Amino acid sequence: MGRTTLIGLFAGAGTFYYITQRERYPGSQLPFDETKKTVVILGSGWGSTSLLKALDTTEYNVVCQLFSLTCNPAKHLWTQVVVSPKNFFLFTPLLPSVAVGTLSPRSIIQSTRYITRHKTRGVSVIEAEAQSVDPVNKTVTVTDNSPIKGATSTKKIPYDYLVMAVGAEVQTFGIPGVQEHACFMKELADAERMQKQFMDCIETAAFPGQSEEEVQRLLHMVVVGGGPTGIELSGELHDFLEDDLKSWYPELASKIKITLVEALPSVLPMFSKQLIDYTESTFKESKIDIMTKTMVKEVKPDSVVLQMPDKSIQELPCGMVVWAGGNKGRKVTQDLMAKFPQEQTNRRGIVVDDYLRMKGADGIYAIGDCSATSYAPTAQVASQEGAYLARMLVQIAKKDQLENKLEALEIEQTKIEDDEARKRIVEEIDATRAQMAKVKLRPFHYSHQGSLAYIGSEKAIADLPFMNGNVGFFVIFWTWSEMLTRCYFA
């Protein structure tokens, strides 16, 4: 028993040491080769990160090296290039937690280079912003957007296959003052800005000599948007009030007011009525006001102008407005779509076929929020699209390999005069065609894993697929966080 225990301890320690060292020192990678085919991925969000994780560079190399006839096998290998304005992946569902200080910003990001460093073949990561795409010459123009500029800040990157995964930007609907005065909840910097502005409002309200009217204005927080982001942010603000602010600012905590504004008849329209009613009752208990059928007409530095359900106009004094009201395509996406006016007619995003290929373009794929599909623009959809595209690229490589092999065999057949040799070539051609027939590209199908939303007070709602319908569950916070991770990375 003592020997067994000792062996178990040594084995466990050795395994732990091996895993930690492998994470820190992943080893050498196959070198970058400019002669190989290039896959350029624009973005570092849910779709592109899922694609990177699922992409098997070893299989790509092996598949292409198997072809050894008259073609040069090197040009059929794959190289990956990732271009994004930020060098990390952001776990966006937890942005509201960062906005109120529950989580550190470092807790919800993962370095893109960490992911690429653990691939068999080296992946080039470029922190830059894509300015334009030339679908004719197959190049992407990128610009270094960092404050520190080098001698070269603009570069054209050639591609064989381009994956558009640039996501979307905040949709303000042209409402005056939104861009200038509202806080967004899209990027990490948005959450950090909101946290600072929120605390500034509280500290300013605590400054001696403030009138009661001014204190009430400063402590009124307005969240615009009744989707999951707006609901979760309102819940997180309530938790921050209950768990921290009542201890830190006992004289102000009772005066803090949270108002949620939604233009539609109800919040969370993608959830069942049972869960919507539960959310609204929970918010009522938490003293969070919900204003449905209410539209924002203007955002001012110290107030928000609303159009009420009866069409009357009302101005609410407030210290902060958080905008979670929708998305729109980025400029690089809109410019690319404008080059294919016949096929790209959807204003929501890039129109793709069942295989996520951009209609009208050659060698361009679109995944995530920048594409226009029948699915909701969620992280779960983008993640599944990225994993699917990784599998499909492997099939494309196999198909290209067999086509090149068939072409080489047909050329060789015309040069051979011996009947026996010609017969062998014909048999090999037939076998290659049979192999090509087996390589089929299957269309993308989304598998809904459920919709989740945290509503505060350590409560969350989950709309999960069960049999042929949806069943609602009321889950506590720790269950929500575990389900959230599994649901989005399934």
Side-chain angles (χ1 to χ4, degrees):
M1 186 174 181
R3 274 197 221 96
T4 303
T5 303
L6 191 61
I7 292 172
L9 287 174
F10 275 110
T15 302
F16 176 77
Y17 178 79
Y18 170 75
I19 293 175
T20 54
Q21 291 302 303
R22 185 182 63 181
E23 292 294 304
R24 294 183 61 187
Y25 309 104
S28 60
Q29 295 177 290
L30 296 176
F32 182 89
D33 190 339
E34 293 183 354
T35 64
K36 299 170 185 176
K37 279 191 174 182
T38 301
V39 177
V40 175
I41 304 171
L42 300 184
S44 59
W46 286 90
S48 55
T49 299
S50 177
L51 169 60
L52 279 174
K53 286 185 174 182
L55 200 58
D56 189 348
T57 55
T58 303
E59 182 178 354
Y60 277 67
N61 292 336
V62 169
V63 167
C64 294
Q65 288 173 346
L66 288 175
F67 176 54
S68 59
L69 290 176
T70 56
C71 289
N72 176 14
K75 74 175 184 178
H76 297 286
L77 301 182
W78 297 81
T79 303
Q80 296 82 40
V81 181
V82 182
V83 180
S84 176
K86 56 181 184 288
N87 61 1
F88 55 83
F89 163 71
L90 176 66
F91 194 85
T92 48
L94 292 180
L95 268 178
S97 299
V98 174
V100 299
T102 305
L103 290 177
S104 163
R106 293 180 60 87
S107 302
I108 65 169
I109 63 174
Q110 183 181 45
S111 171
T112 302
R113 283 185 168 85
Y114 172 84
I115 300 171
T116 60
R117 185 62 183 86
H118 287 78
K119 305 301 291 186
T120 303
R121 179 168 298 280
V123 178
S124 179
V125 180
I126 303 173
E127 187 180 53
E129 185 172 355
Q131 296 293 327
S132 62
V133 177
D134 184 348
V136 177
N137 298 314
K138 289 193 172 184
T139 61
V140 180
T141 302
V142 301
T143 301
D144 182 7
N145 62 350
S146 64
I148 300 176
K149 304 293 184 183
T152 302
S153 59
T154 302
K155 180 73 174 177
K156 281 191 176 182
I157 301 176
Y159 68 84
D160 293 293
Y161 292 99
L162 175 66
V163 180
M164 294 288 293
V166 297
E169 61 184 36
V170 177
Q171 172 65 277
T172 64
F173 302 100
I175 298 174
V178 174
Q179 193 73 43
E180 296 81 6
H181 307 303
C183 293
F184 299 143
M185 198 52 54
K186 191 74 174 173
E187 304 291 347
L188 190 61
D190 298 331
E192 293 175 318
R193 177 194 169 192
M194 185 205 135
Q195 183 185 27
K196 182 180 183 304
Q197 186 168 336
F198 180 52
M199 293 308 302
D200 284 347
C201 287
I202 295 173
E203 292 292 353
T204 303
F207 192 83
Q210 299 285 13
S211 66
E212 186 64 24
E213 183 181 359
E214 182 67 3
V215 169
Q216 290 180 357
R217 180 191 73 80
L218 288 166
L219 298 182
H220 185 194
M221 311 301 166
V222 177
V223 180
V224 181
T229 300
I231 291 293
E232 289 168 3
L233 180 60
S234 301
E236 291 280 5
L237 283 171
H238 170 265
D239 288 356
F240 187 44
L241 168 64
E242 293 293 325
D243 299 339
D244 297 306
L245 296 183
K246 281 190 174 180
S247 299
W248 300 347
Y249 307 89
E251 73 283 2
L252 296 178
S254 61
K255 300 177 182 179
I256 294 178
K257 182 180 179 181
I258 304 170
T259 299
L260 178 68
V261 177
E262 170 56 50
L264 296 177
S266 70
V267 298
L268 299 173
M270 70 290 297
F271 284 81
S272 65
K273 186 178 185 304
Q274 179 190 20
L275 295 179
I276 293 173
D277 293 341
Y278 179 75
T279 300
E280 291 178 346
S281 64
T282 301
F283 272 26
K284 187 175 181 180
E285 293 174 4
S286 302
K287 297 181 179 179
I288 300 174
D289 293 335
I290 298 179
M291 302 176 66
T292 56
K293 299 181 181 178
T294 304
M295 298 180 63
V296 175
K297 305 303 290 184
E298 184 181 357
V299 177
K300 297 182 179 180
D302 54 2
S303 65
V304 56
V305 180
L306 304 176
Q307 179 179 293
M308 309 305 291
D310 60 359
K311 304 301 180 181
S312 64
I313 300 298
Q314 181 178 340
E315 185 170 345
L316 291 183
C318 59
M320 182 179 68
V321 175
V322 184
W323 188 267
N327 298 325
K328 69 174 182 178
R330 300 188 186 276
K331 185 177 184 302
V332 64
T333 303
Q334 295 173 352
D335 291 346
L336 178 59
M337 293 171 59
K339 296 178 180 179
F340 303 95
Q342 299 295 327
E343 297 84 1
Q344 299 298 319
T345 56
N346 193 324
R347 297 178 62 184
R348 176 182 152 192
I350 298 174
V351 180
V352 296
D353 62 12
D354 293 338
Y355 305 92
L356 305 183
R357 297 175 298 201
M358 180 179 181
K359 291 187 177 181
D362 177 36
I364 299 180
Y365 297 83
I367 59 178
D369 291 357
C370 69
S371 64
T373 64
S374 59
Y375 310 111
T378 64
Q380 188 180 163
V381 173
S383 180
Q384 292 188 29
E385 287 177 339
Y388 162 81
L389 188 55
R391 296 191 300 269
M392 195 174 75
L393 285 174
V394 174
Q395 296 300 105
I396 291 174
K398 291 179 180 179
K399 186 176 181 181
D400 290 345
Q401 172 188 325
L402 290 171
E403 287 177 351
N404 290 326
K405 180 179 178 181
L406 180 61
E407 182 182 353
L409 287 171
E410 289 174 345
I411 294 174
E412 188 175 353
Q413 181 185 15
T414 61
K415 298 179 180 179
I416 295 177
E417 298 180 356
D418 182 68
D419 291 340
E420 288 294 326
R422 185 188 293 272
K423 184 178 179 181
R424 288 196 302 270
I425 292 293
V426 171
E427 290 176 352
E428 194 168 354
I429 288 175
D430 292 339
T432 303
R433 286 175 176 165
Q435 288 179 313
M436 288 178 60
K438 293 180 181 179
V439 179
K440 296 182 179 179
L441 303 180
R442 301 182 183 276
F444 171 73
H445 290 291
Y446 169 62
S447 174
H448 186 59
Q449 302 298 312
S451 300
L452 308 172
Y454 180 63
I455 60 176
S457 304
E458 296 187 347
K459 298 177 182 178
I461 56 173
D463 227 354
L464 304 178
F466 182 75
M467 300 296 286
N468 292 324
N470 287 334
V471 176
F473 295 92
F474 309 131
V475 296
I476 58 178
F477 178 77
W478 64 267
T479 309
W480 168 82
S481 60
E482 175 66 19
M483 291 174 65
L484 181 71
T485 304
R486 291 182 180 273
C487 209
Y488 282 117
F489 283 105

